[in-house]
Amino acid sequence: MKVLSGIQPTGRFHWGNYFGAIRQYIALQGNEQSFYFIADYHALTTIDRPETVKAVNEEAFTPAKLAEYTQDAALDLLALSLDPEQATLFRQSDVPEVTELTWLLMTVTQMHLLEKCHAYKDKKDRGIPADAGLFTYPVLMAADILAYDSDVVPVGRDQVQHIEVTRDIAQRFNRIFDSDVFVLPESRVLDQTAKVPGLDGQKMSKSYGNTIPVFDTPKRLRKTIMKITTDSTPVEEPKDPEACSVFTLYKLFADEEQQAALAARYREGGMGYGEAKQTLYEAAIEHFGAAFERREQLAADLDSVEDILRAGAEKARAKASEVLERARTACGLKRQPVSTIR
Ligand code: ADP
Ligand code: TRP
C-alpha cells in the first residue's frame, strides 16, 4: 500500500487535525510507502490578501509566518510520533516536480470540476474575490497525490471531494493520452472522528476560532477545556452524554470501558459539567504528555529536524521525477539535457 497525505502549515495543530488526520498518518506509517508532507505551496493561497476579510481573532498570515508554521508543523508531527524511519516527511515546495505535473494535469482538468470544489465555491458565495491559485488548488493537490503513485490518502471528511477530483483528473489523463500513467487513489476517513467538535459544538476549525491546540501548557489547556460550551442542566440532574461536546471529545481519548463509566455518571445525575471537563483534561494530558516532552527536545535541536526534512525531500523527489517522466512521455514531451538546449 502506498500512503500519502499532506497538511497545511496554517497555524498550530488542533485536536480536529490530530484526530481527523494526523493520527491516521501515524497509524499508517511503516507501509510499503508512507509519504507525508507539509503543504506550503497550498498555504500560499491563504497568505493575507488586502481584500480578504479576516476572521475574528485571527493573526495576519505573512511569508514569515509561513516559514515559522512550516517548521512548527514538522515539530508537531515528529513529536506526535511520526517516525522518519517508517515514513518520509518533507516540505511540499522541496519537490518542484509537482508544479510541473500540475500543469500537465491542468490541461485535462474540466472547469466544472473545479467550480464545484468547496474552497473556491465558499469564497465565491461569500463574495470574496478568489485567485487562480485557489481555484486550481485541487489540481495541485491531485499532482501531490499522483506524483507518488499513492493509492491510499488518509484525510478528514472535508478533503474527500478533492480525492474524487483527483481520480477524475487521473482517469481523464490516462484516457486522453491512452496510457496508464496514474494510479487511482482512494481516500480513507475514520468515521467516528470524521468531525471533531470545537469549543462551541460546531466543527473544530481555525476559521471558527473554536480550537483546542494539541500543544499548549497544561495550565492553558485546562483553561481552554473549561470553555467548552455546555447546557445549563443543574449538577444534580441526569444529563445526556451523547448531546454533550465534552463527552464527544472524551470518546476520542478513552476506551470503551472508560466511555461507559463516564456515560453512566452523566446519566445518573450528581455530576456537573466541570467535573466532566476535568476528566477530559486528565485524559488529554495522559494521551499527549509524552508528545509535549518530545516536542521540547526537538525544538532544542532544529538542525536535526531540518535534516529529516531534507532527507525526506530527496526520497520524495526521486519518486516524483520517475512519475513525472512517465507523464511527460505519455503527453509526447521529450526532456532534453540542459546543455543541448539552445
Ligand atoms: P482548519 O479547519 O482548522 O483550517 P484544516 O482545513 O487545515 O483545518 O485541516 C487539516 C486536516 O485536518 C484536514 O485533513 C481536515 O480534514 C482535518 N480536520 C480539520 N478539522 C477537523 C475536525 N474538526 N474534525 C476532523 N478532521 C478535521
Ligand atoms: N488540501 C489539504 C488540506 O487542506 C492538504 C493537502 C494538500 C493534501 N495536498 C494534499 C492532503 C494531498 C492529502 C493529499 O487539508
Side-chain angles (χ1 to χ4, degrees), residues 304-315:
S304 311
V305 175
E306 193 51 36
D307 287 347
I308 293 171
L309 292 174
R310 281 214 199 109
E314 223 169 280
K315 249 175 110 178

Side-chain angles (χ1 to χ4, degrees), residues 24-99:
Q24 296 189 78
Y25 302 172
I26 290 152
L28 290 169
Q29 66 186 2
N31 263 290
E32 174 195 355
Q33 178 178 291
S34 307
F35 277 2
Y36 300 119
F37 65 89
I38 302 158
D40 52 356
Y41 276 150
H42 274 108
L44 276 179
T45 65
T46 62
I47 295 263
D48 268 16
R49 310 299 196 242
E51 69 279 15
T52 305
V53 185
K54 294 303 295 174
V56 211
N57 291 335
E58 224 176 288
E59 276 177 75
F61 191 44
T62 58
K65 279 251 157 18
L66 178 59
E68 182 193 324
Y69 288 168
T70 301
Q71 185 173 72
D72 276 340
L75 287 169
D76 286 3
L77 292 168
L78 293 167
L80 288 167
S81 301
L82 197 142
D83 173 5
E85 299 287 317
Q86 298 194 64
T88 302
L89 176 66
F90 58 99
R91 265 183 299 252
Q92 183 184 31
S93 63
D94 283 343
V95 187
E97 283 78 7
V98 299
T99 57

Side-chain angles (χ1 to χ4, degrees), residues 208-255:
Y208 302 145
N210 64 356
T211 61
I212 307 180
V214 173
F215 293 98
D216 211 341
T217 61
K219 199 168 157 201
R220 278 207 302 259
L221 174 63
R222 190 169 181 282
K223 223 170 141 190
T224 309
I225 290 176
M226 291 299 158
K227 285 192 211 147
I228 300 171
T229 310
T230 46
D231 62 28
S232 51
T233 318
V235 174
E236 58 286 0
E237 285 195 19
K239 301 175 181 64
D240 178 6
E242 299 304 334
C244 176
S245 304
V246 180
F247 187 71
T248 309
L249 292 168
Y250 181 72
K251 284 202 282 193
L252 300 170
F253 296 101
D255 62 27

